[in-house]
Amino acid sequence: MDYYTLLKFAHIIGFILLGGGLLAVFMSEFQAYKTSDICTFAEAARYTAIFYDAFAAPGAILVGVSGFFLVLELGIGFFAEPWVVGMWGLFLFEFIEGNTVTRVQFRRTLRRSQDALKRGNPLTHDLRDEARGLFNKVTHFLDIPLFTVIVYCGTVRPDTWVHVLVAIGAGVLMAALFVVLVPRIARPWGATPD
Ligand code: HEM
């Protein structure tokens, strides 16, 4: 296997791990919104942390490092093509946000829900809102739309900034819809925990 093919192979394994981890997090977060049981709520927070650490984080490192060397190997430059800038720019934003704000959020959610479980507290609206506030929702629900935009950049390779910016706009809109709709789809409007 030559060097370029090895990089490409690593890049694909990297984004399979990252994408798989983000989709798994989406499902564990969905379960947390859906449930009225404190055990399931705490378990969902535990799985969110596991999926981030076991899949998303190593996948991100692999896709980032292999992507960097792919740019060097192909000699395309980091600023020459809008699709390349779209890939590493969004990746860098997601990587920093994912390892700072999101990580603080899911660790806090894990602590709060495990604490409530230990105390035998029921799952209340307050606990739910405290463990998963608006900021938590935004950081989580940005992941998959922005990942999709990066895949679009890597496969469709838009050659104008307009295409890249429209794709990012569509990604942000999708994230906003997730923030509004997912908690409501998971738990019908106004339904209160038992
Ligand atoms: C979430 C992060 C990323 C995802 C999901 C992703 C996804 C992809 C996809 C789907 C392709 C097309 C593969 C193919 O043609 O078979 C690709 C190619 C590429 N990616 Fe990424 N990528 C990511 C991050 C990066 C980063 C950070 C860089 C640069 C620093 C990068 C540089 C490249 C380059 C140069 C190619 C072209 C490879 C070629 O022509 O053979 N990628 N990426």
Side-chain angles (χ1 to χ4, degrees), residues 4 8 11 15 18 63 67-68 74 87 91 147 150 154 157:
Y4 165 70
K8 193 81 177 267
H11 204 59
F15 66 69
L18 176 56
V63 83
F68 176 81
L74 293 167
M87 298 194 82
F91 172 77
F147 179 84
I150 303 178
R157 304 193 182 176

Side-chain angles (χ1 to χ4, degrees), residues 2 9 15 17 20 33 37 40 42 45 117 130 132 135 149 183:
D2 63 19
F9 175 65
F15 66 69
L17 275 174
Y33 289 113
D37 170 45
T40 311
L117 185 63
E130 203 184 315
R132 280 183 178 77
F135 204 47
V149 176

Side-chain angles (χ1 to χ4, degrees), residues 51-110:
F51 293 141
Y52 264 125
D53 289 342
F55 298 116
I61 293 167
L62 194 53
V63 83
V65 172
S66 59
F68 176 81
F69 288 107
L70 270 171
V71 173
L72 295 182
E73 177 63 12
L74 293 167
I76 43 183
F78 286 93
F79 296 94
E81 301 281 350
W83 66 271
V84 177
V85 182
M87 298 194 82
W88 65 256
L90 287 171
F91 172 77
L92 219 51
F93 168 76
E94 273 288 295
F95 192 80
I96 295 168
E97 178 251 333
N99 287 294
T100 52
V101 189
T102 305
R103 183 164 289 279
V104 170
Q105 284 295 327
F106 77 69
R107 286 274 155 220
R108 187 165 150 273
T109 306
L110 181 59

